[in-house]
Amino acid sequence: ISGLVVTTALNPFDLVSTRLYNQPQGAARLYTGPVDCFLKTARAEGFMGFYKGWFAHYCRLGPHTVLTLVFWEQTRRIAAQLAL
C-alpha cells in the first residue's frame, strides 16, 4: 500500500518535472516554470492528466518504497540487538 500512496502523491510532481526537463530550449519553450506547467496541464488535460504514466512510475517507485521500509525495519532490529 505504501508504494501506491507514494506513487499517487508524487506522480503530478514527477510529470511536471519531466515536462519541464523535456521541453525545447530557447524561444520555443512551452512553460515558464513549474507553476505555469501545472496550470497549463490542468487546463488542457484536467485532473487525470497529472496521472499519465502512473503505472510506469509505480513499477519504479513501488518496489523501491517497499524495500526501503523492509531494510529500515531490519536495520532498526539489528541496531536494537547490538544496543547501538
Side-chain angles (χ1 to χ4, degrees):
I1 291 181
S2 60
L4 294 171
V5 172
V6 168
T7 304
T8 302
L10 292 180
N11 203 76
F13 301 103
D14 190 59
L15 179 115
V16 167
S17 67
T18 299
R19 288 186 178 188
L20 287 171
Y21 182 77
N22 290 327
Q23 74 178 333
Q25 296 299 311
R29 296 187 89 158
L30 302 172
Y31 312 106
T32 59
V35 174
D36 183 50
C37 181
F38 184 87
L39 292 173
K40 285 181 179 177
T41 300
R43 285 186 196 119
E45 301 172 41
F47 176 75
M48 292 308 293
F50 292 107
Y51 291 96
K52 284 185 174 181
W54 184 91
F55 183 72
H57 197 204
Y58 175 73
C59 287
R60 180 172 53 99
L61 276 182
H64 176 269
T65 302
V66 171
L67 291 173
T68 299
L69 293 174
V70 168
F71 289 136
W72 174 249
E73 287 298 319
Q74 292 302 315
T75 302
R76 287 181 56 198
R77 184 183 59 80
I78 291 168
Q81 287 176 347
L82 296 174
L84 294 177

